[in-house]
Amino acid sequence: MIPVNEPLLAGNELAYINDCVNTAWISSAGKYVDRFESEWAAYCNRKFGVSVTNGTAALELAISVLRLPAGSEVILPSFTIVSCIEAVLRNGLTPVLVDCDPKTFCMDANHVVARISENTSAIMPVHIYGHPANMERILKIAKMHNVKIIEDAAEAHGAECAIDGKWQKCGSFGDVSTFSFYANKNITCGEGGMVLTDDNELADRLRARRNLCFGKQERFFHEDRGWNFRMTNMQAAIGCAQLERIDDILRRKLEIANRYHDGLKDLSIMTPYVESWATTSVWMYAVVFDESISYDAVECAQKLMKRGVQTRPFFRGMHEQAVYQQLGLFVDEVYPVTEHISRRGLYLPSGQALTNDQIDEVISAIKNTLGT
Ligand SMILES: *Cc1c(COP(=O)(O)O)cnc(C)c1O
């Protein structure tokens, strides 16, 4: 079977893990944590990086330090991972959804404008499958309405977006910006996450809150409420080794995308689109099957699995989740683009360990499945 995503640990990962074990620096104290934070922040052109246990924790922590008014509204895409909504709700804020752009699958900036109100305190753009959200417009909207940006860059390591003609890395746009380093992300620690910011005070608050807000004078007299979201030295060691190879990783990801594109371009399938103002990290090679095909994404995934190809259907919209409906959220809300792509979309095997022969096998399996 060709797996949908397999990490590739082809550099100094083992050497650095050995170093952690040999020196017994296996907790969150240790040199790799500091190194990974400063190197990742520098790569994204940010002043501060605060590492955490995973990307979901990064979002929850990032929102908490902004001190947004209780119950105020955060505008976010319906087409995203559940982590985004959870982070909003767990901070006592109100999620307000918008539909996504039919070409990039990222939040539609026009819909953001339509849903901004005096209750809005923040906008949360998410760079879906590695394609940047329209940050030029979203930053302007945020500035005009004086609201914060929580940027979820968990899928967009190394992707860039042009702002007034100047290329900038994803992860550089938010008051707080978050990453995940889960095993299937372009840079992985196995599990891991980070919050980036340029604000010294926010960075201090992030560091305190990920570490239970221990007292500075008296350790066990806590200054505020927090979490234990600390990343271990071993996670960071893998991250450091991964980061040494980031240029190769991004280059290979683009090769994978181009090979798929050439093989699939004449079929009844929408292949990933890249805006002129964007570069993609190709986190996942995501395709949408035309309505002319008689079965949906789940059935298509089953057919491909029979041919030895593992794929994954797209996110299901947040407005269609029963758990939130039961809370009285998003009742009767309809987001047609999200609903369309969540039923017709699949992402194909996209991991760095994928060989060209495997890509060609996936292309053949799709052609055979479609009967072309
Ligand atoms: C992966 C992901 C997360 C969550 O990261 P974890 O490390 O799995 O908790 C958050 N947001 C987006 C957009 C993601 O793709």
Side-chain angles (χ1 to χ4, degrees):
M1 195 221 13
I2 302 176
V4 71
N5 205 307
E6 197 180 354
L8 184 66
L9 307 174
N12 284 320
E13 287 84 354
L14 189 57
Y16 294 167
I17 285 287
N18 272 332
D19 185 32
C20 295
V21 174
N22 288 333
T23 58
W25 286 100
I26 56 173
S27 77
S28 60
K31 65 182 180 189
Y32 291 109
V33 175
D34 293 340
R35 178 177 152 188
F36 187 49
E37 287 179 341
S38 59
E39 287 185 356
W40 186 248
Y43 179 81
C44 297
N45 201 20
R46 299 308 297 259
K47 287 205 182 108
F48 307 104
V50 178
S51 62
V52 292
T53 45
N54 57 63
T56 305
L59 280 167
E60 187 175 348
L61 178 68
I63 296 177
S64 85
V65 299
L66 294 176
R67 296 184 172 158
L68 303 175
S72 65
E73 295 176 357
V74 179
I75 300 179
L76 74 165
S78 184
F79 188 72
T80 187
I81 190 170
V82 75
S83 309
C84 300
I85 296 270
E86 283 301 314
V88 171
L89 290 175
R90 286 174 195 279
N91 276 290
L93 302 167
T94 307
V96 170
L97 301 180
V98 293
D99 206 353
C100 59
D101 177 274
K103 288 193 291 203
T104 66
F105 312 151
C106 295
M107 81 190 322
D108 187 320
N110 292 327
H111 295 201
V112 175
V113 173
R115 298 218 69 181
I116 282 243
S117 76
E118 64 214 20
N119 299 323
T120 308
S121 59
I123 304 171
M124 185 193 286
V126 185
H127 310 304
I128 298 289
Y129 300 140
H131 190 293
N134 188 341
M135 291 313 304
E136 186 171 275
R137 283 207 58 205
I138 293 168
L139 288 169
K140 282 187 183 133
I141 296 164
K143 200 167 178 192
M144 186 187 297
H145 294 273
N146 193 25
V147 300
K148 302 286 186 199
I149 297 271
I150 302 145
E151 179 191 10
D152 183 351
E155 304 179 358
H157 310 69
E160 295 188 14
C161 190
I163 308 293
D164 297 325
K166 190 167 160 271
W167 289 96
Q168 284 174 240
K169 286 252 160 51
C170 287
S172 70
F173 300 118
D175 293 279
V176 282
S177 300
T178 66
F179 281 93
S180 163
F181 303 107
Y182 178 62
N184 68 12
K185 302 290 157 90
N186 280 7
I187 293 287
T188 184
C189 301
E191 299 276 356
M194 203 180 297
V195 186
L196 303 181
T197 183
D198 293 330
D199 184 312
N200 195 10
E201 203 180 307
L202 289 183
D204 278 345
R205 233 178 271 161
L206 288 164
R207 287 189 204 104
R209 288 189 156 206
R210 80 155 160 204
N211 190 25
L212 298 168
C213 296
F214 284 113
K216 285 195 188 69
Q217 256 67 66
E218 186 187 332
R219 180 173 171 81
F220 293 114
F221 191 69
H222 296 261
E223 290 169 355
D224 198 348
R225 294 181 56 207
W227 294 267
N228 174 358
F229 280 164
R230 300 184 302 260
M231 177 184 271
T232 69
N233 201 39
M234 293 179 291
Q235 287 169 286
I238 292 181
C240 287
Q242 289 266 298
L243 188 47
E244 290 171 351
R245 293 193 303 109
I246 188 158
D247 292 340
D248 289 341
I249 290 170
L250 294 174
R251 200 176 307 123
R252 178 62 190 152
K253 286 290 221 174
L254 278 177
E255 274 171 21
I256 292 172
N258 288 335
R259 199 173 183 92
Y260 271 133
H261 185 78
D262 289 344
L264 298 172
K265 62 176 187 266
D266 299 325
L267 306 179
S268 314
I269 290 177
M270 187 182 138
T271 54
Y273 176 84
V274 185
E275 292 281 3
S276 60
W277 43 260
T279 69
T280 167
S281 71
V282 197
W283 174 53
M284 291 294 175
Y285 193 83
V287 300
V288 178
F289 290 79
D290 290 357
E291 293 284 359
S292 63
I293 295 164
S294 62
Y295 40 83
D296 66 7
V298 172
E299 210 178 324
C300 190
Q302 286 162 355
K303 287 177 192 287
L304 288 168
M305 194 56 158
K306 287 207 186 100
R307 296 179 192 272
V309 174
Q310 188 185 37
T311 58
R312 192 156 291 166
F314 279 14
F315 297 124
R316 184 71 170 272
M318 292 302 112
H319 65 293
E320 294 195 286
Q321 305 285 343
V323 283
Y324 299 130
Q325 296 261 340
Q326 282 154 16
L327 297 177
L329 290 167
F330 323 133
V331 179
D332 296 331
E333 292 183 21
V334 177
Y335 300 103
V337 182
T338 298
E339 289 173 24
H340 170 70
I341 64 173
S342 69
R343 283 159 183 72
R344 310 296 304 185
L346 279 185
Y347 54 81
L348 307 181
S350 309
Q352 295 159 38
L354 202 64
T355 64
N356 285 348
D357 285 348
Q358 287 179 315
I359 297 171
D360 295 345
E361 272 179 59
V362 176
I363 293 167
S364 305
I366 291 174
K367 286 183 172 165
N368 290 333
T369 301
L370 296 180
T372 53

